[in-house]
Every structure is written in C-alpha cells, then in structure tokens.
Amino acid sequence: DPTRHIFLMCGTNDILQGRDSTYVYKTLVKAIELASTKGMVIIGLETQIDSDMDGLNLVVREVNEQLKAYAEARNIKVIDFYTTLFEADQIGQIVFAGEVHPNERGYRLMSQTALKVFLQIG
C-alpha cells in the first residue's frame, strides 16, 4: 500500500553499546528496506547523545550523513531531529531526560520538526 507511511528512527542505543557507524548504518538500511515493502518510509535522523563524554556524537553524525545520502539517492524523506535538538541544546534549552531520550520540551520540538515534513507529503 503506497499510501501507508512508515516512520523509522533508531540506532542510538546501538551506538551507546559501542557499535560503530558502519554496523548501525547497515542495520538501519535493513530495517528501511524491510519497511519499504509495507509502505513509504520516512527516516528520522538520530538525535545527539547528551553530555557526550565518550565522543559518540561523532558516530551519530556519521550515521546521519550516511542516512541522508541513502535517502537522497532513493528519494526518501528525512526528518532532521539531530539539528533540532542540537540547536536547542546549543542555546541552553534542556531537551534531554537521559543520554538519548528527549524530555517533554525535546519531544515537542521534534514533533514540530516532524510536522513540517508530514505536511509536505500531502
């Protein structure tokens, strides 16, 4: 059913467990390809890892860049949650309830970002 939209966002827990960007990307591509057999996929980019003491945000950014290139090559819509929460964090807003899970404000900002993309779908 091409009118069905499937939203995918996952991978930060794998990164927290020490998996590299290649592993996470390949796992996400498998999920995207499986989901695309059921409808139109929309990819949600990974959010940053709060208080990144281990340098894991580099892995998050690598995965996001790979996902953006994958999506662009296949004309798949992307919701950039990383930039949304990163920019809010940079101006001092508290947007995380844990290392990778947003708080109420974070989710509200994410929903506004997602709505902009959803409204483009028609």
Side-chain angles (χ1 to χ4, degrees):
D1 180 359
T3 60
R4 180 183 302 163
H5 294 81
I6 301 163
F7 174 71
L8 288 174
M9 181 183 164
C10 51
T12 47
N13 286 324
D14 282 335
I15 294 169
L16 283 173
Q17 292 174 4
R19 303 228 165 79
D20 66 14
S21 61
T22 301
Y23 173 89
V24 175
Y25 172 73
K26 285 181 179 181
T27 301
L28 291 173
V29 166
K30 286 179 189 175
I32 292 165
E33 289 174 353
L34 178 62
S36 68
T37 66
K38 305 294 182 187
M40 183 163 88
V41 173
I42 301 168
I43 299 171
L45 296 184
E46 309 291 336
T47 61
Q48 72 186 60
I49 295 173
D50 194 31
S51 66
D52 180 27
M53 295 173 23
D54 299 324
L56 296 176
N57 276 326
L58 175 61
V59 179
V60 172
R61 288 191 302 273
E62 289 172 352
V63 170
N64 283 344
E65 289 305 314
Q66 291 171 313
L67 287 173
K68 284 193 276 189
Y70 177 90
E72 186 175 329
R74 289 157 183 82
N75 200 27
I76 297 174
K77 296 238 182 255
V78 170
I79 303 172
D80 189 353
F81 292 126
Y82 183 92
T83 299
T84 297
L85 294 188
F86 178 80
E87 289 177 352
D89 187 50
Q90 292 299 297
I91 62 170
Q93 293 184 13
I94 307 299
V95 292
F96 287 98
E99 286 184 295
V100 296
H101 296 104
N103 62 17
E104 184 179 343
R105 175 180 289 161
Y107 280 121
R108 188 170 44 253
L109 292 170
M110 290 172 69
S111 70
Q112 292 167 359
T113 299
L115 183 60
K116 291 175 189 172
V117 174
F118 295 153
L119 290 173
Q120 295 172 3
I121 294 171

